[in-house]
Amino acid sequence: MSHTDTPARSWCETLQKKLMAAIDAAWALIESSDDPAVLAKARDKARLAGQLAVEARRIAALVPPPRDDKPRRTPLEAAIASIQTDAAPPATPPPPRAPAAQAAAMQAALARMGRR
């Protein structure tokens, strides 16, 4: 029962679309006008839309990401799986490795000196 579209997520997406439309409209006003009052008003609208977009992104970040639709194991299946792994024979340790050439030479030298 994983929900990919929560009310908060759809609200944020809808708000982001509206804010992008408002920013595009403000940009169009800025491009088409030379009046300082219109430019200032469009700049304020764009700034406000940007600030609202930041807050909407913060809210969207609080919503957990959608889950995968993987089937979950029941407690009985989990218990059976843990028993099967516990019942498996332990792995045999790897055979001991031969010492490195430098270590073999050192051991031989110590043996000649009688210090081993």
Side-chain angles (χ1 to χ4, degrees):
M1 188 170 127
S2 67
H3 297 288
T4 57
D5 190 32
T6 62
R9 187 176 309 278
S10 62
W11 174 82
C12 287
E13 288 174 3
T14 303
L15 182 62
Q16 290 287 341
K17 289 177 186 174
K18 288 179 183 178
L19 292 172
M20 287 304 296
I23 290 173
D24 289 341
W27 188 261
L29 276 176
I30 290 171
E31 287 181 335
S32 66
S33 177
D34 290 335
D35 185 16
V38 172
L39 294 177
K41 188 173 182 179
R43 220 179 20 246
D44 289 341
K45 283 183 179 182
R47 184 178 301 122
L48 180 62
Q51 290 171 349
L52 286 174
V54 168
E55 296 303 321
R57 277 189 228 112
R58 286 182 184 163
I59 292 170
L62 296 175
V63 177
R67 293 184 185 178
D68 294 334
D69 288 335
K70 295 187 296 186
R72 297 188 182 191
R73 293 194 302 189
T74 63
L76 178 62
E77 292 171 342
I80 290 171
S82 68
I83 290 171
Q84 288 173 346
T85 56
D86 290 342
T92 58
R97 294 176 28 190
Q102 185 177 5
M106 185 61 73
Q107 289 173 353
L110 288 173
R112 281 193 302 259
M113 292 173 49
R115 293 200 175 177
R116 183 131 204 252

